[in-house]
Amino acid sequence: MLHTAHGSIETPVFMPVGTYGAVKGLTPKVLAEELGAAIILANTYHLYLRPGHELVRQLGGLHGFMSWPNALLTDSGGFQVFSLEGFRKIREEGVEFQSHLDGSRHTFTPESTVDVQRALGSDVMMVLDECPPYPVEPAYAREAMERTVRWAERAFQHWRAVDPEPQQALFPIVQGAMDRELRRDCARRLLELDAPGYAVGGLSVGEPRPLSYDMVEATEDILPRDRPRYVMGVGMLHELGEYVSRGTDMMDCVLPTRNARNGFFSRPRASS
């Protein structure tokens, strides 16, 4: 069970994605009342660039901006920034990047992404992490994991300093590329943050699906079973049971709604 200021959510739960603050092709009423979506996801990177988090704050946060009555989760924007190969520079302070809209330069830090998400008013926020590609050299996988842990520590210190009794939860993200031991090491160190929930990131970056399952399974016995565990960017229909069986509570993916509005049809796979 995930408890938020906008209701308690039974898990496991799949979260539809409203990248720009709207799940395309569906009204909030249909999404909430007819389809029963208790929580949806919006994208910090895109909302930061357009229309801007301060404007969203003035309009009542994402809940007012979207006319959405239920819970919201925002990612930190890290995945989108790290996909901008050639248009970003990673430094210990944070990541500098160029907007894909107009080429303007911006910086995300562990602290600033918390502030942006606080302005958006989501119920669950994500820390800034470093998402390495697949495949990746072992040395860089280790470097990205170590930086992810340091950034998570900074984000949590800032979150607790600016809001001692927060209504918005903050989740750290397990990284470590496709290395089981790196992921286990990362998960153990993130436990020290005593977070309200934990996420597993760095998947759906081109790796074979059995490897994705293995990376989720690698930390199943480490991440707390009494707190939500969120596997980021997964959720094709035939995969849901695989992730749930490995201890996953929360998933998200753009494919179900994207495929639906584009008239995609897929025959269900036969169970093995």
Coordinates of all heavy atoms in Angstrom, one line a residue, residues 114-115 118 157-164:
V114 N 14.7 18.6 -6.7 CA 13.7 18.5 -5.6 C 12.9 19.8 -5.5 O 11.6 19.7 -5.4 CB 14.5 18.3 -4.2 CG1 13.5 18.5 -3.0 CG2 15.1 16.9 -4.2
D115 N 13.5 20.9 -5.7 CA 12.7 22.2 -5.7 C 11.7 22.3 -6.8 O 10.6 22.8 -6.6 CB 13.7 23.4 -5.7 CG 14.5 23.5 -4.4 OD1 14.1 23.0 -3.4 OD2 15.6 24.1 -4.5
R118 N 8.9 20.0 -6.0 CA 8.1 20.6 -4.9 C 7.1 21.7 -5.5 O 6.0 21.8 -5.1 CB 9.0 21.2 -3.8 CG 9.7 20.2 -3.0 CD 10.6 20.9 -1.9 NE 9.7 21.5 -0.9 CZ 9.8 22.7 -0.5 NH1 10.6 23.6 -1.1 NH2 9.0 23.2 0.5
Q157 N 19.2 15.3 2.0 CA 19.6 16.3 3.0 C 18.8 17.6 2.7 O 18.3 18.3 3.6 CB 21.1 16.6 2.9 CG 21.5 17.6 4.0 CD 23.1 17.8 3.9 OE1 23.7 17.4 3.0 NE2 23.6 18.4 5.0
H158 N 18.7 18.0 1.5 CA 18.0 19.2 1.1 C 16.5 19.1 1.3 O 15.8 20.0 1.9 CB 18.2 19.5 -0.4 CG 17.6 20.7 -0.9 ND1 17.9 22.0 -0.5 CD2 16.5 20.9 -1.8 CE1 17.2 22.9 -1.1 NE2 16.3 22.2 -1.9
W159 N 15.9 17.9 0.9 CA 14.5 17.7 1.1 C 14.1 17.8 2.6 O 13.1 18.4 2.9 CB 14.2 16.3 0.6 CG 12.8 15.7 0.8 CD1 11.6 16.3 0.4 CD2 12.5 14.5 1.5 NE1 10.6 15.5 0.8 CE2 11.1 14.4 1.4 CE3 13.2 13.5 2.1 CZ2 10.4 13.3 2.0 CZ3 12.6 12.4 2.7 CH2 11.2 12.3 2.6
R160 N 14.9 17.2 3.4 CA 14.5 17.2 4.9 C 14.8 18.6 5.5 O 14.1 19.0 6.5 CB 15.3 16.2 5.6 CG 14.8 14.8 5.3 CD 15.6 13.6 5.9 NE 14.9 12.4 5.7 CZ 15.4 11.2 5.4 NH1 16.7 11.2 5.2 NH2 14.7 10.1 5.3
A161 N 15.7 19.4 4.9 CA 16.0 20.7 5.4 C 14.9 21.7 5.1 O 14.5 22.5 5.9 CB 17.4 21.2 4.9
V162 N 14.4 21.6 3.8 CA 13.4 22.6 3.4 C 12.0 22.3 3.8 O 11.1 23.1 3.8 CB 13.5 22.8 1.9 CG1 14.8 23.3 1.4 CG2 13.1 21.5 1.1
D163 N 11.8 21.0 4.2 CA 10.4 20.6 4.5 C 10.5 19.5 5.6 O 10.4 18.3 5.3 CB 9.7 20.1 3.3 CG 8.2 20.0 3.5 OD1 7.7 20.3 4.6 OD2 7.5 19.8 2.5
P164 N 10.7 19.9 6.9 CA 10.9 18.9 8.0 C 9.7 17.9 8.1 O 9.9 16.8 8.6 CB 11.0 19.8 9.2 CG 11.4 21.1 8.7 CD 10.8 21.3 7.4

